[in-house]
Structure formats: structure tokens, C-alpha cells
Amino acid sequence: MESEAFGEETGPVADATGPRRSRPLRGLRIVEISTYVATPLSGMTLAQLGADVIRIEPVGGAPDRTRWPLAESGTSLYWSGLNKGKRAIEVDLSSERGRRLVADLVVSGGRRGGIVVTNSARHPELTFEALRERRPDVIHVLLTGRRNGETAVDYTVQAATGFPLLTGPEEAAQPVNSVVPAWDLAAGLYVTVGLLAAERHRLLTGEGQQVRVALEDVALATAGNLGYLAEAQLSGTPRERCGNYVYGTFGRDFATADGGRLMVVALTARHWQDLLAATGLTEVVAALAAALGVDFAEESVRHRHRKLLGDLLAGWFGTRTRAEAESALRATRVLWSAYRSFAELAALLPESPLMGKVTQPGVGEHWAPGSPVVLDGEQALPEMSPRVGEHTGEVLRAELGLSAAELAKLRENGVIGDPDGHQRDRDPRTREADHP
């Protein structure tokens, strides 16, 4: 079945063993034309699962290659983090010849090719309609800001969808945006799911299709799926900020005597009982419940009286060190964690099975995440991100059959960047395994 799906050039994969099990998408070839977070994340997610992802960049590199944070050399740590394991080519997309070259790459590749993921619809040769004329089974995945094609970014989508008005301290008067680009991240994964669904459809029917995901739709869908929009429609009382309290149950942060801080959540009645037992407040809270005529075993009741209960618990945490509080909580089923800075977290990375060492040009050796997806006990380890134009010659020779003379002419005319100036020294056995 697998060799039928990917074409004769890929060979069977059902007998894959060892680390190849963690690369179930080997044999797929995806052209990525994108910038910033969502679509690069989609491409990297697919690459970590074994797809051959070829990233198209303008000559000199895409604008997000300089986005902060930066290494001392000026290399973007942000870009390097979102583009691991891809191949990269430089093409002048402002020229018709450059766009035709990329279109040639999209529609080539036999059964393993014919897939493009992008966040741009401005190039006429690279639209779904134009590519479908050349290859009827093409899969064209497009991320837009809004469903009507208008532009938007995570920060503007945040502003438009209500969440910043619920984020931040209770007393805050102004909206507070999240520093985590949640809608970019969710959109990138929706793009990935949509692409794989379309590829599955093509596998079963031979038909290609366009997949569209709008960043704003992702945020609206999430607000609806989590009940925020239904609440706004059906409730006469708008939801208010509650700071670090967890809405609808009991959870909040607590300071310890030595300046530490922990987040503690009691979702269930068992969690709540364990928290009271660990802090010695069982009898006190029972007396309080009797006086109020309530049952704190119900999470809605715990939330309604969260400030009163929180003050009782804050007194206990405030007279213990962080280590003492952690020791008491560790013996329970309560959900908790100490707050850590990124620097504290970085010191723990060598202990994480997710992480592997990568030596990135311009950055140096550091710990970087592999795929969070663990398949049959295996996960893909992190790879380097490509340098500008690193694989230009390699890709155009192997995928389009261009000769050295043709590549030289394209380079001379400014259609492509230097095809051989940044070749990565890779084990050819790995190349063969990763890109059959």
C-alpha cells in the first residue's frame, strides 16, 4: 500500500525499523513558501515527521531571518528554531522566471510531490487554479489572516477576539496581550492537519484540492469550542478578569517565605482534599463550609469562594520555604508547579528526552527540541535549520534535472542565489533515508 501511495520511486516503507519509525511521512515532498510563525511551524512539524520540506526564500533570505531574539552573530534564534530539518533554496519571486521555476518544483516530484503550503496568494503562477491546470492532483494549502483574504497577524487577532480583556491582573484597566502567539501556533497545526487530510483524500481518490485556514477563524473556533462565545450570547453577566485564579474551579499562585512562587490547581474533590490535608487546613475549611452552608467538594463552590479560600492557603504557603511547600505537595495528587524563568528552564534541558544537541551555523552548539510526537517509543531528533540558499543547486538539479550550465545562467540572471555556496555536509545514507 505504501509504495502505491508514494509512487515507485519511494519503495516500500512498511518494514521500516529503528529511528525510521518516527518518520512516517518520509516520501512526501512539500514546497513551503512562507514567513514568520504559522506556516513555518507547519513545515517544520511535517519535516520532523519525515517529509522532505523545501523552503522557498527570496534571494538574500526572507525578512523573518532577522527577527529577534538573535545570537551574538546576528543569526535569528527565532528563525533557526522554526525551520529545523528543512531544505532551502533562493529564488527571485519578483521575476516571472523565478515564479515559474517554483511552480515547476511544486508540480514535479511524481506521486510524492504536488504539495505546497504558503501564506501568500499574490503570485499568479502559484495560485491553486494555476497549479491545478498543470497538475490536477495538486494540494494547495493557504493560510490567510481573515477568511476573506484580508491580512491579520496574531497580535491583531488577539485584539479582535476578546481574550486580552480577560488576561492580566484583576485590577488592570487595559487589555493585556499574551506573549505566546497562540493563534499562530494553533493555526500552524491546523494547517498541518488540513494538509494531511488532503493528502489522505488524494491517496484514496487521486484528487487534489485547496485547503484554506484563516488565522482569525482559528481564534474564533477556539473561543467557541471553549464556551466563551456561547457564554457571551447566553449570559447577561460578562466574564471578568480573575488574574491567576483558574476560572470555574480552584487554582491560583502562592508566594513562599523565601520568595518562591508556585501555581497550585485543585480540579477534583480528591485534589481539594489532598491540598487541605497537606496544608493542615481540613478542619478549618470544614468549619468554614458549615458556617457558610456550602460544600467545597463542588468545584463551582470553590471558585465562588476562591478569594476566601485563597487567603487561608496563602497564609500556609507564606510561612514555608519553596522547598518545604514542594515537599508537602509532592506527596499529594494536587496539580502544581514552581514558576521558572527561561534561564532556570534552560539549565534543565539536558535532562529532557525531548531535547537534542544541535550545532547551528551562526548560533553554535545548543539544546533544541525534536518532535514532541513520540511514535512507538521513538521521536525525531532535532536537525539544523538551513542557511540561505543552502540547497538551491542540490534541489534544482535533483528535482528538476537542471544542468550546471542552466543553473549558472539562472544565477547570472539573478533568478536564483548561489546554488553551491552553502552546501551542508551530510551523510549520503541519511539523505537517501530521509528523501527517498
Side-chain angles (χ1 to χ4, degrees):
M1 289 295 291
E2 289 81 2
S3 58
E4 266 184 51
F6 298 134
E8 293 179 0
E9 70 271 42
T10 66
V13 297
D15 62 347
T17 58
R20 287 169 62 89
R21 275 201 212 97
S22 64
R23 303 178 69 83
L25 300 186
R26 60 190 176 277
L28 279 187
R29 198 200 65 185
I30 297 160
V31 175
E32 178 196 311
I33 311 169
S34 69
T35 52
Y36 296 105
V37 179
T39 39
L41 172 64
S42 175
M44 184 181 71
T45 300
L46 294 161
Q48 288 181 324
L49 292 174
D52 177 13
V53 177
I54 301 171
R55 180 176 167 87
I56 312 298
E57 293 190 274
V59 176
D64 53 340
R65 272 192 178 266
T66 59
R67 196 171 187 197
W68 288 17
L70 305 176
E72 289 186 8
S73 66
T75 300
S76 172
L77 301 176
Y78 156 96
W79 196 96
S80 300
L82 280 169
N83 291 279
K84 296 188 289 293
K86 302 176 186 178
R87 297 196 282 172
I89 71 172
E90 293 175 275
V91 181
D92 180 11
L93 290 174
S94 69
S95 72
E96 183 181 353
R97 180 68 185 96
R99 295 192 297 271
R100 286 205 317 269
L101 193 67
V102 174
D104 291 345
L105 188 58
V106 172
V107 301
S108 67
R111 293 186 185 181
R112 69 192 181 103
I115 307 175
V116 59
V117 58
T118 182
N119 61 351
S120 173
R122 67 180 181 273
H123 303 305
E125 297 87 350
L126 296 169
T127 63
F128 173 59
E129 293 75 17
L131 293 168
R132 183 172 56 177
E133 285 292 318
R134 300 186 58 188
R135 178 169 177 158
D137 71 342
V138 72
I139 295 172
H140 185 281
V141 187
L142 175 65
L143 176 73
T144 62
R146 296 185 172 89
R147 183 178 285 240
N148 64 5
E150 292 179 358
T151 58
V153 295
D154 186 283
Y155 307 103
T156 62
V157 167
Q158 282 193 47
T161 51
F163 287 97
L165 297 175
L166 298 179
T167 304
E170 293 178 85
E171 65 275 10
Q174 73 281 1
V176 178
N177 276 15
S178 170
V179 298
V180 178
W183 309 127
D184 276 336
L185 300 175
L189 298 178
Y190 271 113
V191 164
T192 303
V193 171
L195 185 153
L196 294 176
E199 199 277 327
R200 173 68 174 170
H201 178 77
R202 186 173 76 173
L203 173 69
L204 295 174
T205 68
E207 299 172 352
Q209 58 184 300
Q210 185 179 52
V211 178
R212 294 176 67 99
V213 176
L215 190 64
E216 187 176 58
D217 282 356
V218 170
L220 285 172
T222 303
N225 294 338
L226 295 179
Y228 288 86
L229 298 184
E231 180 186 39
Q233 295 171 76
L234 303 174
S235 173
T237 305
R239 187 184 298 195
E240 298 178 347
R241 280 190 174 100
C242 57
N244 280 347
Y245 283 102
V246 179
Y247 181 76
T249 189
F250 184 82
R252 56 159 279 186
D253 59 315
F254 293 99
T256 59
D258 55 352
R261 190 168 288 272
L262 296 90
M263 184 67 194
V264 179
V265 180
L267 283 179
T268 68
R270 171 64 184 273
H271 292 159
W272 180 243
Q273 292 165 6
D274 276 9
L275 179 59
L276 295 182
T279 57
L281 292 172
T282 301
E283 293 183 4
V284 172
V285 171
L288 180 62
L292 295 173
V294 299
D295 182 2
F296 288 128
E298 297 181 19
E299 65 174 348
S300 61
V301 175
R302 294 196 295 274
H303 180 70
R304 197 172 300 120
H305 295 278
R306 62 190 179 277
K307 293 187 178 179
L308 182 58
L309 296 172
D311 287 345
L312 284 174
L313 287 160
W316 183 88
F317 282 96
T319 58
R320 271 80 178 172
T321 65
R322 172 175 151 178
E324 289 169 339
E326 288 181 348
S327 177
L329 292 173
R330 198 171 284 120
T332 73
R333 299 178 68 175
V334 176
L335 307 168
W336 66 276
S337 179
Y339 282 83
R340 294 173 181 157
S341 68
F342 282 117
E344 290 172 319
L345 184 59
L348 301 175
L349 295 183
E351 303 171 13
S352 170
L354 174 67
M355 313 302 291
K357 277 196 175 179
V358 170
T359 303
Q360 180 69 37
V363 176
E365 186 179 75
H366 64 288
W367 292 96
S371 173
V373 179
V374 180
L375 296 169
D376 210 10
E378 296 174 352
Q379 68 178 51
L381 296 175
E383 298 183 46
M384 291 190 299
S385 297
R387 290 167 287 187
V388 177
E390 182 173 348
H391 307 98
T392 304
E394 170 190 309
V395 168
L396 297 181
R397 280 193 299 266
E399 304 293 339
L400 298 183
L402 297 186
S403 67
E406 290 171 315
L407 291 170
K409 186 68 173 176
L410 290 170
R411 184 168 65 254
E412 180 183 337
N413 293 333
V415 176
I416 63 173
D418 183 354
D420 296 304
H422 306 289
Q423 289 296 312
R424 184 190 301 172
D425 182 16
R426 292 186 59 180
D427 186 331
R429 295 170 297 177
T430 302
R431 170 71 67 201
E432 182 180 354
D434 290 354
H435 307 296

